[in-house]
Amino acid sequence: MRFHYASRPDKAALEGIDLTVNAGETVALVGPSGAGKSTLFQLLLRFYDPEAGTIAIDGVDIKQMRIRELRRLYALVPQDPVIFGTSALENIRYGRPDATREEVIAAAQAAEAHEFLSALPQGYDTYLGERGVRLSGGQQQRVVIARALLRDASILLLDEATSALDAQSERAVQQALERLMAGRTTLVIAHRLATVKKADRIVVIDHGRIIAQGRHDELLAQGGLYAELALLQLV
């Protein structure tokens, strides 16, 4: 698979990508900033289409799917949490608009969000403010994870972002993420060494190309870019 951004026609954002992900597998995408990891997510979601090659899910080219049908297959947890200017309940329910209040609360409990949402002035009916200003960064992430849990999609796209959180928030977010990932096909842009070690497979991307694949110990023994990134704790 090959892809160029229109603004950079002389430099491929992705080149020669050949990757198969098995159902239920967790694949960690690792590489320096600008390597092409986020671009791969954008292609999966069809914000762009590759110039050469295809992306298929269960053997079906995603270009043959309606955009809405395609995106129903995914739950996305972005690096920067998206919180809407509405109540906590409706923020979580955005993942599945027909969900009952009880289902929303159950998702929040699984995401380690129930305790702080219940403590808000109007509980789940509290207006969170534009961009979730009433919540901390870790709380915002747990609301987004609750939304993804409620969505219950078969494929999880996770741009993990816990490095900027304090230790207590990071633990809570990590526990919520582990519940979300359980039993799903997961592609994770990994920023934490702990997440990489737990992945079924690590894919190392550099300058738009896959340069190595394997488990943590295998790649560490090979040295090279992965060993360098691991030494820096992947952040």
Side-chain angles (χ1 to χ4, degrees):
M1 182 176 66
R2 183 175 71 250
F3 173 72
H4 292 73
Y5 286 106
S7 59
R8 290 175 287 169
D10 58 335
K11 182 180 179 183
L14 294 172
E15 181 74 57
I17 298 294
D18 185 2
L19 178 64
T20 299
V21 179
N22 299 315
E25 186 179 20
T26 295
V27 174
L29 305 176
V30 173
S33 178
K37 306 181 298 294
S38 295
T39 300
L40 189 56
F41 274 21
Q42 291 172 339
L43 292 177
L44 287 168
L45 290 160
R46 282 205 72 197
F47 293 128
Y48 304 97
D49 287 326
E51 295 148 18
T54 59
I55 300 172
I57 297 176
D58 292 334
V60 179
D61 186 339
I62 65 173
K63 289 182 181 179
Q64 306 304 316
M65 303 180 190
R66 293 183 178 179
I67 292 290
R68 181 175 292 183
E69 292 174 353
L70 170 66
R71 292 178 183 167
R72 279 189 187 133
L73 299 175
Y74 300 121
L76 172 66
V77 179
Q79 186 170 9
D80 297 316
V82 177
I83 303 296
F84 304 107
T86 184
S87 69
L89 184 82
E90 292 305 322
N91 259 285
I92 295 172
R93 190 180 269 155
Y94 184 81
R96 183 156 58 84
D98 63 346
T100 65
R101 188 180 187 91
E102 291 72 25
E103 289 172 326
V104 169
I105 291 172
Q109 289 171 330
E112 303 281 331
H114 179 67
E115 184 175 349
F116 69 80
L117 291 178
S118 298
L120 292 172
Q122 287 83 44
Y124 280 78
D125 297 310
T126 302
Y127 177 73
L128 297 182
E130 293 299 326
R131 298 178 179 268
V133 294
R134 303 191 69 156
L135 303 179
S136 70
Q139 289 172 337
Q140 290 179 21
Q141 283 187 314
R142 281 175 275 172
V143 168
V144 173
I145 292 167
R147 186 187 297 157
L149 280 160
L150 187 65
R151 188 171 182 80
D152 197 26
S154 57
I155 302 171
L156 173 63
L157 303 179
L158 173 62
D159 193 348
E160 181 200 39
T162 59
S163 57
L165 303 178
D166 60 74
Q168 184 176 1
S169 293
E170 182 178 349
R171 274 195 302 274
V173 169
Q174 197 59 35
Q175 288 172 346
L177 287 173
E178 287 174 5
R179 291 192 186 104
L180 176 58
M181 294 165 68
R184 299 179 208 278
T185 304
T186 303
L187 279 168
V188 50
I189 296 176
H191 304 282
R192 300 175 71 256
L193 194 58
T195 300
V196 170
K197 287 180 176 179
K198 291 177 182 178
D200 298 310
R201 182 161 40 118
I202 302 162
V203 175
V204 186
I205 302 177
D206 191 28
H207 297 294
R209 294 179 177 272
I210 294 174
I211 62 170
Q213 296 187 53
R215 299 297 296 266
H216 170 72
D217 291 340
E218 299 168 351
L219 294 172
L220 207 58
Q222 293 173 17
L225 178 60
Y226 180 79
E228 293 175 15
L229 292 171
L231 186 64
L232 297 170
Q233 296 293 300
L234 300 173
V235 294

